[in-house]
Amino acid sequence: MEWSEKLCFGVDIIDDQHKEIIKRVNDILDCLENQIIDETKIELFLDFLADYTMAHFTMEEKLQIKSDYPKYEEHLEEHNRFIGSFVKMRTTFMKKGSSADSLAIIKEIVVDWLYHHIAVVDSEFAEYYLVWKKTQQLTQP
């Protein structure tokens, strides 16, 4: 995955967290693509991803509630679907280790979902949030 300006929304905290997630995903993808299978490194990555995405999702959801985002429930459902897929993926990895199946699932779930979520779902929220934030600034004395 490559970070690009297309993925930059102008909401610094979201952009910074997305950059960090993409950096970590790329680190693990490099290992997998070069067939450097280090199960400890993969486990550490999965631990990081679990903790970091939960913190990121919580932060996004708080901003959505604060801004009365009309698609909050849909966005929350996206997060919950990812969490379910992630738990299933992690369980598979913990049971089977670095099998070809579990590595393919990591790539599919993390890369495909993450890119779509950032480029489409988060982009839509960021656009709404920036307009909301501007209106808030204009209405403040």
Side-chain angles (χ1 to χ4, degrees):
M1 291 181 69
E2 284 189 41
W3 179 259
S4 70
E5 290 306 307
K6 176 183 172 187
L7 301 176
C8 188
F9 307 130
V11 181
D12 292 341
I13 191 166
I14 293 174
D15 291 340
D16 291 345
Q17 289 180 352
H18 285 163
K19 285 178 191 174
E20 183 62 25
I21 291 170
I22 289 172
K23 178 189 172 304
R24 298 288 185 108
V25 167
N26 284 334
D27 288 347
I28 204 67
L29 288 177
D30 286 345
C31 290
L32 297 177
E33 287 170 7
N34 292 314
Q35 298 181 343
I36 302 169
I37 308 304
D38 180 341
E39 290 192 15
T40 302
K41 188 171 185 173
I42 294 170
E43 278 186 52
L44 289 172
F45 166 73
L46 294 174
D47 289 344
F48 158 80
L49 192 59
D51 294 342
Y52 203 81
T53 53
M54 291 305 293
H56 175 70
F57 289 171
T58 299
M59 182 276 309
E60 267 187 8
E61 291 161 11
K62 285 180 180 178
L63 291 177
Q64 290 172 1
I65 290 168
K66 179 180 177 181
S67 65
D68 200 24
Y69 184 49
K71 293 188 176 182
Y72 168 74
E73 292 295 328
E74 292 170 43
H75 203 109
L76 180 64
E77 189 58 37
E78 280 273 325
H79 288 173
N80 289 337
R81 272 195 298 277
F82 176 77
I83 291 166
S85 297
F86 180 83
V87 168
K88 186 177 176 181
M89 171 189 68
R90 185 179 177 122
T91 302
T92 299
F93 179 79
M94 297 309 279
K95 284 181 184 175
K96 296 183 179 181
S98 57
S99 69
D101 287 345
S102 60
L103 297 178
I105 290 170
I106 289 173
K107 281 184 178 182
E108 177 185 327
I109 289 175
V110 174
V111 175
D112 293 349
W113 185 89
L114 188 61
Y115 187 82
H116 170 77
H117 186 76
I118 292 172
V120 177
V121 180
D122 282 350
S123 172
E124 190 175 319
F125 167 64
E127 193 175 303
Y128 170 87
Y129 181 77
L130 290 171
V131 170
W132 174 84
K133 191 173 178 182
K134 191 173 190 172
T135 10
Q136 293 302 303
Q137 291 169 341
L138 293 173
T139 60
Q140 298 298 319

